[in-house]
Amino acid sequence: MAEPILELRNVSAHYGNIQALKGISLKAFPGEVVTIIGGNGAGKSTTLMTICNVIKASGGDVLYEGRSILNLASAKLAPMGLCQVPEGRRIFPRLTVEENLEMGAFFRKDKAGISRDMEHIFELFPVLRERRRQPGGTLSGGEQQMLAIGRALMGRPKLLLLDEPSLGLAPLIVQRIFRIVEDINKQQGTSIMLVEQNANVALRMASRGYVLETGKVVMEGEAAALLDNPAIRAAYLGE
Ligand code: ATP
């Protein structure tokens, strides 16, 4: 198998005295969709925030393309191709859709490439083109999620970290967003690490999955096998 694009080795993280991650090890390979599923408070968001150094790991190592990124500032990661779409989207509500997208390309100088990529994002999400001059804060939840993904894509990521893109959205919108994420993976070869409480959609889209419980990886494997696993079905698929 190829070298992983991202590897977590025995990563721990604390909030004060609370240990949120208790030695997490996982890998993402180039071109794959890998998912991290788990219930409320399992440590999924903390895992992504630790990868991006928003939260400092208290132990272990995070390697991106074979090199430790633990001591790099978050802002250094997007130019290296590691972009995160945080939970709750965090778009800039007062900036227009277009300006939000431009922010995702803050480190790029290739004007022609930037406008080509914006055009491509408008093709993926036509509703963003319609609303390009509208403040981001006036968009619906689903549109804001599309904008957040679009903004991350403006950084031309090699690896896209997606935190609960389905949160609070109607099933039809979730389906649409997941289809587009799948296209991004297939057409552009972008690797995707998808954190989801919605285990059903996540495991259908991913090739491999990790199950987190109270800060530990309790199960990992092929997504299809996890989907068929009775314990997973009972705990996470509502059966
Ligand atoms: P959810 O899907 O509910 O966001 P999650 O799997 O993403 O859950 P985390 O948000 O990573 O879980 O939380 C992991 C643990 O860390 C939980 O026990 C949570 O209560 C705790 N935690 C998260 N953020 C903080 C914080 N800012 N201060 C203290 N504890 C926190």
Side-chain angles (χ1 to χ4, degrees), residues 13-21 36-49 55 87 163-164 167 195-197 212-215:
H14 288 75
Y15 295 102
N17 291 329
I18 301 168
Q19 184 166 13
L21 300 184
I36 303 173
I37 60 170
N40 257 317
K44 305 183 298 300
S45 298
T46 305
T47 302
L48 291 194
M49 288 192 283
I55 292 169
E87 186 179 10
D163 196 354
E164 302 233 21
L167 198 71
V195 155
E196 261 298 339
Q197 271 201 52
L212 272 196
E213 266 173 31
T214 55

Side-chain angles (χ1 to χ4, degrees), residues 142 146 166 169-180 201:
M146 294 175 197
S166 78
L169 302 181
L172 212 64
I173 307 284
V174 172
Q175 248 180 44
R176 238 171 56 210
I177 289 177
F178 273 68
R179 200 167 306 134
I180 291 166
V201 266

Side-chain angles (χ1 to χ4, degrees), residues 36 61 71 79 97 107 122-123 137 164 183 185 203 236:
I36 303 173
D61 204 356
N71 294 316
V97 165
F107 56 87
F122 287 150
E123 279 160 22
E164 302 233 21
D183 284 351
N185 167 254
L203 288 173
Y236 300 106

Side-chain angles (χ1 to χ4, degrees), residues 11 74 78 83 102-103 117 137-138 149-150 159 180 191 197 199 234 237:
V11 170
S74 307
C83 295
E102 282 163 2
M103 294 297 276
D117 286 353
T138 63
I149 295 172
L159 174 62
I180 291 166
S191 315
Q197 271 201 52
L237 303 173

Side-chain angles (χ1 to χ4, degrees), residues 30 46 124 128 141 174 220:
T46 305
L124 288 174
L128 295 184
V174 172
E220 61 180 274

Side-chain angles (χ1 to χ4, degrees), residues 25-132:
S25 295
L26 51 82
K27 291 177 182 172
F29 291 96
E32 84 168 338
V33 180
V34 61
T35 187
I36 303 173
I37 60 170
N40 257 317
K44 305 183 298 300
S45 298
T46 305
T47 302
L48 291 194
M49 288 192 283
T50 307
I51 293 170
C52 292
N53 267 332
V54 177
I55 292 169
K56 200 113 195 81
S58 43
D61 204 356
V62 179
L63 298 125
Y64 175 72
E65 295 188 313
R67 144 175 189 215
S68 176
I69 54 169
L70 269 190
N71 294 316
L72 293 183
S74 307
K76 292 247 164 33
L77 299 174
M80 293 166 65
L82 179 58
C83 295
Q84 187 183 5
V85 181
E87 186 179 10
R89 308 184 282 244
R90 296 200 209 121
I91 55 142
F92 303 102
R94 292 209 175 84
L95 299 187
T96 65
V97 165
E98 214 163 38
E99 289 163 345
N100 265 282
L101 291 175
E102 282 163 2
M103 294 297 276
F106 73 93
F107 56 87
R108 290 174 59 185
K109 304 264 181 291
D110 55 323
K111 280 211 163 107
I114 291 173
S115 47
R116 253 199 322 276
D117 286 353
M118 195 175 299
E119 187 53 35
H120 180 234
I121 285 156
F122 287 150
E123 279 160 22
L124 288 174
F125 303 107
V127 69
L128 295 184
R129 187 198 303 277
E130 285 165 31
R131 306 194 185 287
R132 61 197 294 170

